[in-house]
Amino acid sequence: MDYEDHRSWIERAANGEDGVLACDKIMGFEKTSGTSSQAKWIPISEGLQQEFARGLASWFSGWQQRRPEVFAGRAYWAISPPGMKPEITPGGLPVGMTSDAAYFPDEVGARLAGWLVIPELSGRPEAVFEETADALLAAPDLSVISVWSPTFLLGIDAALRRMRGDFSWRELWPRLALVSCWADASSAQWIPRLSERLGGISIEAKGLLATEGITSVPDAIDGSPRLASECHWHEFIDEEGRFTEISDLKLGQIYEVLITTGGGLFRYRSGDRVRVTGTGADGLPRLRFVGRAGSVSDLVGEKLSESQVLEALVASGSRGFMVADPQRPGYILWLEDPLRAGAVERDLRQNPYFDQACALLQLGPLEVRQLPEEWGVKLTSSFARHRGCRIGDVKLPILLTQITPGEVAAWLD
């Protein structure tokens, strides 16, 4: 079942009806979106809060074993402040949790609130990075940072540079031991830049955590992403569309994730695709996020996937993305270094359908454009406004098919 299959029940719960999706009380809703979809309302129930708390306990237990120094000071740990105005459902329930602590039971949230650095925000999305930077500067004992998107942290870094000029994260926060963020799929291209800016502070690849639920958390022993079996019920769909249980997962294969949660999502097609990279001593699979299902562009039959574009960019050593232009038809390749466009195109043409479409002139010549400074921050903020979701909830896509080339150019201006 996807979101549309759940929509009528979610709307009934939003209208104030009890016992629709789950027996537990619905506390409110959170807005989220996929790579290309519009915002969705995800119900947050007492049962889901307990499931998130179990995942958090496992994650923190691993930190205690591997990196106890992260608890030596305070933490900045947040999805990010909302990029939209607060809303209330017709039934009087809030849309948008007041803080990340609200995802958890009261006693857990209270403990977290005393540990976290919580910025005082004006509510202006354009001021989020500066206001967050101010809050972090007021916490010299900062010891751990956990955000979703690396581009969000790079936005804070850019704000700090405007405020402080050339600076060292280590000098400002000598106790800062670890930064946790997305590091796979489309987020992978940002990790080298983030690592350079952090100047040697360790980066931990965050597990596959989403508003809907948790698929993987860092393992307590080695930090690799393992199945979060303590949180929800997980199933998988292989690349032939067959349902697969945990015990039947095969090494090296890619699967789409299904989750059933205490929030009332049943056999929910998350759209997340993972590769099985191993099995731990605990018998649980290690899962690496590889991208979203359905991220394929097919203007004239070229079947160009986001993973193919990502692989071509990584091989060329350049950061950027592609935009489908159905009016030509063709593609625009935005790159930090346009001189690498030839290498990117050569790799893309390893896709025989794309190569044939180019050779037969079904697709126009690849148009190459130079990305401006701080383009990741600009694009992240624009996507958040467009989708009505949180800035930190945005995974910058590698292949854009639902946004027009003109809109992208305006966002980057």
Side-chain angles (χ1 to χ4, degrees):
M1 294 168 56
D2 59 20
Y3 184 81
E4 290 303 316
D5 295 320
H6 288 80
R7 182 182 291 277
S8 63
W9 294 319
I10 290 175
E11 289 177 348
R12 286 168 58 190
N15 285 331
E17 189 174 342
D18 291 328
V20 178
L21 286 159
C23 295
D24 294 320
K25 179 181 178 182
I26 300 296
M27 315 298 295
F29 295 82
E30 185 58 272
K31 266 191 175 181
T32 187
S33 67
T35 300
S36 60
S37 60
Q38 294 298 312
K40 306 165 185 175
W41 287 6
I42 303 301
I44 307 297
S45 71
E46 293 178 339
L48 185 62
Q49 287 180 316
Q50 292 287 347
E51 292 172 354
F52 274 123
R54 289 199 291 271
L56 182 69
S58 174
W59 186 13
F60 282 10
S61 175
W63 279 356
Q64 186 64 50
Q65 294 180 53
R66 291 181 290 108
R67 305 297 300 267
E69 62 272 23
V70 303
F71 298 107
R74 299 182 69 194
Y76 174 60
W77 176 62
I79 293 176
S80 83
M84 67 284 189
K85 295 180 180 178
E87 296 181 43
I88 299 293
T89 72
L93 296 171
V95 180
M97 308 305 283
T98 54
S99 75
D100 281 3
Y103 278 100
F104 305 101
D106 290 345
E107 66 276 13
V108 178
R111 294 288 295 274
L112 285 174
W115 180 45
L116 299 177
V117 175
I118 302 176
E120 294 184 8
L121 301 171
S122 63
R124 295 180 295 116
E126 68 275 11
V128 163
F129 296 124
E130 282 74 13
E131 291 169 348
T132 302
D134 281 334
L136 296 183
L137 289 171
D141 62 340
L142 188 70
S143 59
V144 62
I145 291 175
S146 176
V147 295
W148 296 133
S149 174
T151 59
F152 182 74
L153 193 53
L154 286 169
I156 296 173
D157 177 78
L160 285 165
R161 278 182 278 154
R162 289 191 293 271
M163 298 161 64
R164 290 295 183 100
D166 190 24
F167 75 97
S168 162
W169 282 74
R170 182 69 72 192
E171 290 174 355
L172 291 179
W173 296 286
R175 292 189 187 180
L176 186 54
L178 187 70
V179 167
S180 172
C181 65
W182 287 323
D184 298 318
S186 60
S187 295
Q189 64 175 333
W190 297 103
I191 297 304
R193 174 174 289 185
L194 181 59
S195 181
E196 178 185 353
R197 289 302 309 153
L198 291 175
I201 296 170
S202 296
I203 298 175
E204 176 187 76
K206 190 182 296 294
L208 183 47
L209 292 83
T211 307
E212 295 91 335
I214 302 175
T215 297
S216 64
V217 292
D219 179 65
I221 296 175
D222 61 12
S224 63
R226 65 150 178 86
L227 179 69
S229 60
E230 65 271 50
C231 296
H232 322 293
W233 180 254
H234 297 88
E235 299 170 274
F236 301 86
I237 304 176
D238 68 17
E239 293 190 282
E240 282 72 47
R242 296 172 298 206
F243 291 93
T244 307
E245 296 187 7
I246 297 170
S247 59
D248 295 324
L249 296 178
K250 293 181 172 54
L251 182 66
Q253 296 300 303
I254 294 175
Y255 300 89
E256 183 182 349
V257 179
L258 301 180
I259 57 173
T260 297
T261 77
L265 300 181
F266 294 94
R267 305 194 83 186
Y268 181 79
R269 297 190 73 152
S270 68
D272 293 322
R273 299 169 71 240
V274 296
R275 185 188 302 276
V276 180
T277 60
T279 303
D282 53 11
L284 294 173
R286 273 43 181 170
L287 305 172
R288 182 71 64 182
F289 175 65
V290 298
R292 300 280 297 171
S295 298
V296 175
S297 182
D298 200 14
L299 299 177
V300 297
E302 69 276 18
K303 297 180 175 64
L304 188 64
S305 71
E306 185 174 56
S307 61
Q308 290 167 349
V309 178
L310 175 61
E311 289 170 6
L313 287 169
V314 170
S316 75
S318 184
R319 281 183 285 264
F321 59 89
M322 286 182 70
V323 183
D325 183 359
Q327 299 301 316
R328 283 200 292 145
Y331 290 89
I332 299 169
L333 177 62
W334 288 86
L335 291 175
E336 289 183 354
D337 182 1
L339 295 178
R340 303 188 185 222
V344 174
E345 184 171 12
R346 282 193 296 274
D347 273 3
L348 292 176
R349 293 188 72 154
Q350 296 301 307
N351 174 338
Y353 302 109
F354 182 76
D355 182 61
Q356 177 178 286
C358 293
L360 296 178
L361 303 181
Q362 292 176 288
L363 292 173
L366 189 64
E367 184 178 335
V368 181
R369 296 187 187 178
Q370 169 84 52
L371 282 164
E373 290 290 327
E374 306 298 343
W375 66 271
V377 175
K378 292 180 180 179
L379 207 58
T380 297
S381 298
S382 296
F383 265 109
R385 288 193 299 270
H386 176 72
R387 296 175 179 166
C389 64
R390 297 175 184 265
I391 294 175
D393 197 31
V394 174
K395 286 189 182 82
L396 283 183
I398 296 294
L399 179 60
L400 302 178
T401 60
Q402 304 296 319
I403 309 297
T404 69
E407 287 176 308
V408 174
W411 291 354
L412 292 170
D413 188 6

